[in-house]
Amino acid sequence: MNKLKTMLCAVFTLMLVNITTTVQADSSNFAGPYIGISASGYGIQLSGSSNAGIGQPTEEVSLGQVAPITGFEAGYAIPIGSAFLIDIGASMFHGAAKLEFHDDRADPGNVTEAPVVSDTGGAKDVSFSIDNLVNYYIAPTLVLSDTSSLYLKVGLTEADVTVTGDITSPGNLSGTTWALGTRTVLESGIFIKTEAGYTDYNGISAHGKGTSINSTNSYSAEPTVAFGTVALGFRF
């Protein structure tokens, strides 16, 4: 992950170095407000753990999902010179990923359950669901020509977290997004964006409420997202 950040920063440094050599670039072709819709492929890695209390072993669960999701974005690109812009905006995506801890044993008094990914239900089953991603970003942009540009995006991403089972509700997720992308603008104002990046979220945790799950039981999950996006939009 740190290597990817280093690579992105290196690419952006090369972009800045090349500003003085950019020919026939006009940032006004990219400036102003815009809206767009997008289709993305999201690879979501959820790593979680369950601990039944002091002296009990910690059980690990890891779940990977790849799913197509759709989104909407809006922003404003501010020109800084003829070959450089600062793009500020926000995007929203709808798509869910779930991590489950399941106990398939019938004994309700056994609180040392070993979690496994499963589709069956039970009084001690626990799940974390992540949905409704919102990203607030800033994207320094280098204009390559009158119709194409390259940008580095850095943003704050938030997501809703819901839980099922006899456990406490954790707070929602937040994390940092890094992405590299291109934008091609037509004379009509229509543009096409392609983008690839990742989001590293903070961890979420919960513990049993004491009804069907012992209050000493703790659960946690740490999601990471890698994505590729194609967007179609209009610049006003």
Side-chain angles (χ1 to χ4, degrees), residues 1-37:
M1 190 168 298
N2 289 330
K3 290 183 179 179
L4 180 55
K5 289 182 181 179
T6 302
M7 290 173 60
L8 291 174
C9 290
V11 170
F12 186 58
T13 300
L14 291 175
M15 290 165 50
L16 293 177
V17 170
N18 287 328
I19 284 179
T20 56
T21 62
T22 302
V23 179
Q24 296 181 343
D26 185 359
S27 62
S28 64
N29 292 341
F30 301 85
Y34 63 87
I35 58 173
I37 56 174

Side-chain angles (χ1 to χ4, degrees), residues 33-40 42 69-75 89-95 132-137 153 191 193 229-234 236:
Y34 63 87
I35 58 173
I37 56 174
S38 62
S40 304
Y42 265 57
I69 65 173
T70 57
F72 170 82
E73 68 173 344
S91 56
M92 296 184 297
F93 298 93
H94 178 69
N132 299 325
L133 288 76
V134 179
N135 176 241
Y136 307 96
Y137 61 82
K153 176 186 289 185
F191 67 81
K193 290 174 62 176
T229 300
V230 176
L232 179 67
F234 184 78
F236 297 96

